[in-house]
Amino acid sequence: MVYQNVGAVLTCAGLSTRMNQNKALMNWNGLTLIEQQINLLINSDINKITVVVGYQSNRFHFIKDKYPSVTLVENKDYESGRSSSIKLGLSSLYTSIENLLILGVDQPRTKHILQTVINEHITSESLISYPVYHGKGGHPIIFNRVTFNDINDINEESNGLRYVTKKYSGFINKIDLNEKIVLLDLNTKSNYLEALEYFNNKKKL
């Protein structure tokens, strides 16, 4: 089923400084990483998807034609940090959703992880939900509308979304998953190779 009240923001605006190339355009089994992430979201229980680009935004115009159901938004202030992209993405979805899932383009996940987080969040009626591996919080993270005004107040100085999760720390649904991949960000080439190997091994199972 598709939850009509769940939207997603895929952040893809950063400089990819540590990777020394645009992470979103790296090869992922024949697709670019951004296409892999968009396909993941399209095939999950999500109604509306916004992709926020910034750095080298002209290289992502193809998304409009290839994925007409996806809203593409440009963050001209991308150098200020990820908080600005999250707020811009939320503003494009604000009036049409009750729950917001946030994922970075450099956080590849399986459909099982996404589905589990969404389903657990909706059925538990939590304010915030995210997966946990051996006590460590991971991604994606999903927020109820109650928190949207707080998300609109985030900035890099207040540690972005941590400002919101700290405020609502008593209302978080931490979903235990035996999936180390929920902690992975593709910050370096070794992270990228590790993730590719993990996902390719998953396909063989």
Side-chain angles (χ1 to χ4, degrees), residues 2-204:
V2 174
Y3 292 109
Q4 298 299 318
N5 61 353
V6 178
V9 169
L10 181 67
T11 58
C12 180
L15 291 162
S16 304
T17 305
R18 283 176 286 181
M19 191 67 79
N20 293 319
Q21 65 183 103
N22 196 316
K23 287 186 278 191
L25 297 171
M26 294 176 73
N27 178 62
W28 191 271
N29 292 324
L31 295 173
T32 58
L33 182 57
I34 191 171
E35 290 175 279
Q36 152 68 23
Q37 295 293 70
I38 289 172
N39 287 331
L40 172 68
L41 293 169
I42 286 175
N43 291 312
S44 300
D45 291 342
I46 294 168
N47 187 38
K48 295 181 182 295
I49 301 166
T50 291
V51 176
V52 183
V53 297
Y55 176 60
Q56 297 182 332
S57 60
N58 60 306
R59 301 182 69 183
F60 298 100
H61 291 168
F62 72 93
I63 291 172
K64 295 178 181 179
D65 294 325
K66 189 166 185 178
Y67 302 99
S69 65
V70 171
T71 300
L72 187 68
V73 177
E74 181 181 356
N75 178 10
K76 296 183 183 298
D77 190 33
Y78 65 89
E79 291 188 77
S80 69
R82 189 172 183 233
S83 295
S84 60
S85 291
I86 291 171
K87 292 191 286 187
L88 193 60
L90 174 59
S91 69
S92 76
L93 297 168
Y94 198 99
T95 60
S96 58
I97 62 170
E98 294 296 321
N99 298 278
L100 176 72
L101 182 137
I102 299 172
L103 186 67
V105 73
D106 59 352
Q107 297 169 330
R109 300 294 185 259
T110 63
K111 182 178 178 179
H112 168 72
I113 290 170
L114 233 66
Q115 293 288 134
T116 301
V117 170
I118 294 169
N119 292 340
E120 290 281 340
H121 177 77
I122 296 298
T123 56
S124 66
E125 299 184 344
S126 300
L127 294 189
I128 302 171
S129 300
Y130 56 75
V132 173
Y133 176 78
H134 290 186
K136 293 183 178 180
H139 295 275
I141 186 167
I142 184 167
F143 296 86
N144 181 272
R145 170 172 283 278
V146 170
T147 68
F148 286 4
N149 287 338
D150 298 285
I151 293 174
N152 276 330
D153 288 335
I154 66 173
N155 53 56
E156 298 307 305
E157 290 70 31
S158 61
N159 291 316
L161 290 174
R162 291 183 182 179
Y163 159 76
V164 185
T165 55
K166 183 177 180 180
K167 178 175 179 177
Y168 295 98
S169 59
F171 302 92
I172 296 177
N173 180 21
K174 299 178 182 180
I175 304 161
D176 284 312
L177 288 177
N178 191 31
E179 300 264 10
K180 187 179 180 181
I181 202 76
V182 303
L183 306 179
L184 184 63
D185 292 347
L186 304 187
N187 291 320
T188 65
K189 196 64 176 285
S190 62
N191 294 150
Y192 164 72
L193 294 173
E194 176 188 350
L196 263 183
E197 181 181 8
Y198 176 92
F199 278 86
N200 287 333
N201 287 336
K202 278 282 186 182
K203 288 181 179 179
K204 297 174 185 176

